[in-house]
Amino acid sequence: MELYSYYRSSASFRVRIALALKGLPYDYRSVHLVKNEQLGAGYASVSATQLVPQLMDGAGRIGQSLAIIEYLDELHPEPPLLPGTALDRARIRSLALDIACEIHPLNNLRVLRYLMRDLKVGEEAKNAWYRHWVELGLAAVERRLASEPKTGRFCHGDATTLADCVLVPQIFNAQRFDCQLDPMPTVMRIFEACMALPAFQSAQPSACPDAEA
């Protein structure tokens, strides 16, 4: 398998975690988003959307991080990232989507660039935008995790799932932008439990081949 990734891409980070949890080898293909490598003709032939991550598995091409992770989970079911009953799996997907759909789209690179380049928003206002939406979204995730009985050591009990694969990269980005995370003790407890695991450590941005000093 080949994974087209950028070390700071939280969507790519999700997939790297899933691959590491399942112990699956892959070739890392760097696409430097800040340098606009995703917009070049070479990458357009790999991904029509010009987004990362993109997984190549033989003749198969899969985009979108959650679709990639579910594909991996179907082909390599151990350890399961969507375990339990249909209701359990719905809860795990729901938590993942609370982040992937409600938080991440408002603070990814191309949105922040549009704010600054097209709408002429200054650096301080751009960062305020970022913190507002991340803190608002994570507060909702905190309320869920703190109140739902299925929460355990991780987002769903005492084994890592798709929800943890999505939560951890969002916290990395929140920390980069100095978001207020003290009001989210359950979120941060789960984040720390995840980051104690080798799979999460090996997938983090600083461990990537294209990580910058």
Side-chain angles (χ1 to χ4, degrees):
M1 289 188 291
E2 298 174 280
L3 179 66
Y4 288 81
S5 173
Y6 178 55
Y7 79 109
R8 275 188 173 168
S9 161
S10 59
S12 299
F13 191 178
R14 299 167 192 162
V15 176
R16 297 195 304 264
I17 293 169
L19 287 161
L21 285 169
K22 291 182 176 292
L24 297 174
Y26 63 95
D27 293 326
Y28 189 104
R29 303 285 185 243
S30 176
V31 182
H32 202 297
L33 301 185
V34 176
K35 295 179 181 178
N36 293 321
E37 290 179 357
Q38 74 278 18
L39 303 179
Y43 189 59
S45 67
V46 174
S47 169
T49 63
Q50 298 177 303
L51 300 173
V52 295
Q54 180 83 5
L55 183 75
M56 311 291 279
D57 189 11
R61 298 185 180 192
I62 308 115
Q64 291 295 340
S65 60
L66 272 63
I68 294 171
I69 294 171
E70 291 213 30
Y71 169 78
L72 295 172
D73 207 42
E74 289 181 15
L75 286 187
H76 307 277
E78 294 299 328
L81 297 178
L82 284 161
T85 66
L87 191 58
D88 290 332
R89 293 190 292 275
R91 178 179 183 269
I92 292 164
R93 288 187 178 101
S94 176
L95 284 165
L97 291 169
D98 279 341
I99 298 168
C101 293
E102 303 299 336
I103 303 175
H104 178 247
L106 290 163
N107 61 71
N108 68 15
L109 180 62
R110 61 181 180 170
V111 168
L112 300 181
R113 280 178 163 175
Y114 181 77
L115 287 173
M116 296 188 72
R117 295 179 182 178
D118 294 79
L119 300 184
K120 309 304 179 185
V121 169
E123 180 75 15
E124 184 175 344
K126 180 260 290 183
N127 290 341
W129 161 284
Y130 186 104
R131 287 190 290 268
H132 170 78
W133 292 113
V134 171
E135 290 170 5
L136 186 69
L138 286 177
V141 174
E142 171 68 24
R143 288 193 297 272
R144 289 197 59 185
L145 291 172
S147 64
E148 294 179 1
K150 287 288 186 176
T151 302
R153 183 182 174 201
F154 302 107
C155 288
H156 190 82
D158 293 321
T160 52
T161 66
L162 170 67
D164 302 290
C165 294
V166 177
L167 176 67
V168 165
Q170 189 62 64
I171 300 303
F172 264 75
N173 281 356
Q175 290 173 331
R176 280 182 58 217
F177 280 83
D178 296 321
C179 294
Q180 292 297 314
L181 298 173
D182 288 344
M184 300 155 201
T186 312
V187 164
M188 294 310 297
R189 174 183 60 75
I190 293 169
F191 171 75
E192 290 165 6
C194 289
M195 287 310 300
L197 301 178
F200 286 81
Q201 295 171 12
S202 67
Q204 67 181 302
S206 62
C208 291
D210 55 344
E212 298 173 354

